Amino acid sequence: MDATALLQQFAHDLAGVDSLQALTALRVAYLGKNGRLNQLRKEIDFGRLSPAERKAVGENFNLAKETIEAALAAAVERLERSGPPVEPVSFDPTLPGLGRRNGAIHPIISTQLEVEHVFQSMGFQVFTGDEAVSEYENFDALNIPPDHPARDMQDTFWLENGMVLRTHTSAMQNRAMRTLGVPLRAIFPGRCFRNETTDQTHENTFYQVEGMMIDRHITVAHLIAVMKELLDRIFQRDNKVRLRPGFFPFVEPGFELDLWTDIGKGGRWLELMPCGMIHPAVLREGGVDPHEYSGFAFGLGLTRLAMIKHGIPDIRLFNGGDLRFYRQFAATL
Ligand code: FA5
């Protein structure tokens, strides 16, 4: 074999190389100490050659070596640039899509938006707060001191830093009075958390909408009128409501507002919304003079309202993750 044949063989071998590792092996095979180039040199009997022949063979030999080195360097660059082999793409991005699959608004949130809309039309603003609040905001500012039995009514998730996951949206009352001042018309929708056993009507995470109206000369009549207006517009009918006495330390007097429904034989009263006139101690904690101002507050169970509105029999469906349930509401967007 001469240098020209060696180069042809090298070109053939190089064409089959597809990794840097194989290239290194090729370099050793051709340029290494016992490589093919050195073997070729050993095979040549320089003693039998004329000086001119010796020069020509030597030049050929050097040219072959330089050619191999240059080809190897170019191959290294090419392999490094191309990186690891690319997996074949399993989808064709130029194909048309599978149809519109936009998300839908969750039925609790769509009910919340409706409630917000009704209240905004009555001059209320929407005030959102935090889900983790201080013990003061959740209890003390609402006239529930540490040893008060009312604390036991709401089994609370305590955080390690002493904060609590708010057990009711009433936790925003103090902040709203201090931030917005009086006269005040505001609602605070949001999630609440209680360490409760889950059943058909109770979840550990649920939504409420709190509302406050504070001004001079606010009475129970305002409370009834605002609540009835809300329910009439949400259910799009003339609703019958009634008030029963109810106890909450942050209202005086306190009520349970019931809604007349067609549920059951002949219909029945459904407990819907605790409410009442804001306790003077709560107004004072919020920096409001109870001799000058009065107001009402309510805590609507938003999750319960969504259940009544849509005829949903089990609260656990809301967070159950069953797409068949959610898809029913996609059309109501
Ligand atoms: C309260 O939370 C008071 N903060 C409401 C209030 C506000 C009274 C302002 C007076 C003035 P209660 O614990 O009853 O009250 O909860 C109010 C509503 O939240 C209930 O009627 C119910 O609809 C809803 N609710 C309470 N606990 C749960 C639960 N575990 N799962 C789902 N909904 C709940």
Side-chain angles (χ1 to χ4, degrees):
M1 184 183 270
D2 62 7
T4 310
L6 185 85
L7 273 181
Q8 277 173 358
Q9 181 63 47
F10 172 77
H12 176 265
D13 291 350
L14 183 64
V17 164
D18 61 357
S19 71
L20 288 168
Q21 209 179 1
L23 201 64
T24 305
L26 191 68
R27 175 189 295 279
V28 173
Y30 277 83
L31 301 180
K33 204 163 145 231
N34 297 316
R36 300 180 83 161
L37 205 64
N38 274 342
Q39 269 172 11
L40 184 65
R41 194 191 343 231
K42 280 180 206 156
E43 281 168 17
I44 300 168
D45 187 355
F46 282 92
R48 284 181 48 208
L49 300 178
S50 67
E53 283 171 331
R54 221 178 289 158
K55 188 168 177 258
V57 170
E59 274 174 4
N60 263 352
F61 187 84
N62 285 339
L63 190 66
K65 190 174 176 219
E66 281 165 21
T67 305
I68 291 173
E69 277 173 346
L72 286 171
V76 168
E77 209 175 298
R78 174 172 54 80
L79 284 171
E80 278 179 347
R81 219 175 351 175
S82 64
V86 180
E87 292 288 326
V89 178
S90 59
F91 71 94
D92 181 352
T94 61
L95 284 174
L98 297 173
R100 276 173 54 123
R101 287 199 135 205
N102 292 345
I105 295 185
H106 192 280
I108 293 180
I109 301 301
S110 67
T111 310
Q112 176 184 325
L113 293 174
E114 266 187 73
V115 171
E116 285 180 10
H117 183 73
V118 174
F119 274 106
Q120 278 167 333
S121 74
M122 290 193 276
F124 283 70
Q125 62 176 299
V126 179
F127 183 72
T128 49
D130 300 326
E131 292 177 346
V133 297
S134 66
E135 183 181 355
Y136 170 79
E137 285 180 299
N138 202 76
F139 295 117
D140 301 72
L142 292 166
N143 203 26
I144 314 176
D147 52 353
H148 197 289
R151 284 210 181 189
D152 298 340
M153 285 158 58
Q154 303 182 353
D155 201 347
T156 311
F157 290 113
W158 294 86
L159 303 184
E160 278 171 4
N161 64 4
M163 309 266 281
V164 298
L165 292 184
R166 65 178 176 197
T167 55
H168 51 180
T169 41
S170 303
M172 303 320 303
Q173 285 195 9
N174 186 267
R175 204 184 296 186
M177 286 185 282
R178 294 207 166 271
T179 310
L180 306 173
V182 285
L184 171 70
R185 278 185 221 184
I187 59 167
F188 338 127
R191 283 199 300 181
C192 305
F193 310 86
R194 291 184 199 177
N195 186 17
E196 289 192 11
T197 311
T198 301
D199 63 22
Q200 224 174 333
T201 52
H202 293 86
E203 265 282 15
N204 50 37
T205 305
F206 56 94
Y207 284 75
Q208 289 186 342
V209 181
E210 190 87 1
M212 288 181 105
M213 181 170 178
I214 305 175
D215 207 334
R216 292 186 175 90
H217 316 300
I218 296 292
T219 68
V220 177
H222 294 99
L223 166 65
I224 297 173
V226 169
M227 292 302 115
K228 190 166 153 31
E229 174 71 9
L230 168 73
L231 297 173
D232 287 355
R233 285 178 56 185
I234 293 286
F235 293 110
Q236 292 176 2
R237 63 172 188 225
D238 186 17
N239 285 288
K240 224 159 57 166
V241 294
R242 75 173 184 192
L243 291 185
R244 281 180 296 120
F247 173 72
F248 296 91
F250 33 97
V251 283
E252 179 56 39
F255 309 107
E256 291 285 352
L257 185 139
D258 298 338
L259 172 72
W260 180 258
T261 67
D262 303 330
I263 302 170
K265 225 164 81 190
R268 69 178 169 97
W269 289 105
L270 203 74
E271 184 178 313
L272 186 69
M273 188 159 38
C275 52
M277 302 305 291
I278 303 168
H279 196 288
V282 175
L283 290 172
R284 255 193 307 272
E285 284 297 322
V288 178
D289 182 355
H291 296 293
E292 196 177 349
Y293 288 96
S294 58
F296 67 79
F298 62 88
L300 171 65
L302 187 63
T303 311
R304 180 162 297 176
L305 187 69
M307 288 173 78
I308 298 169
K309 187 170 160 56
H310 295 291
I312 297 165
D314 194 320
I315 195 171
R316 290 166 290 200
L317 287 165
F318 285 121
N319 293 335
D322 188 337
L323 287 179
R324 290 170 306 175
F325 170 73
Y326 302 120
R327 287 207 176 108
Q328 298 174 75
F329 300 97
T332 64
L333 287 180

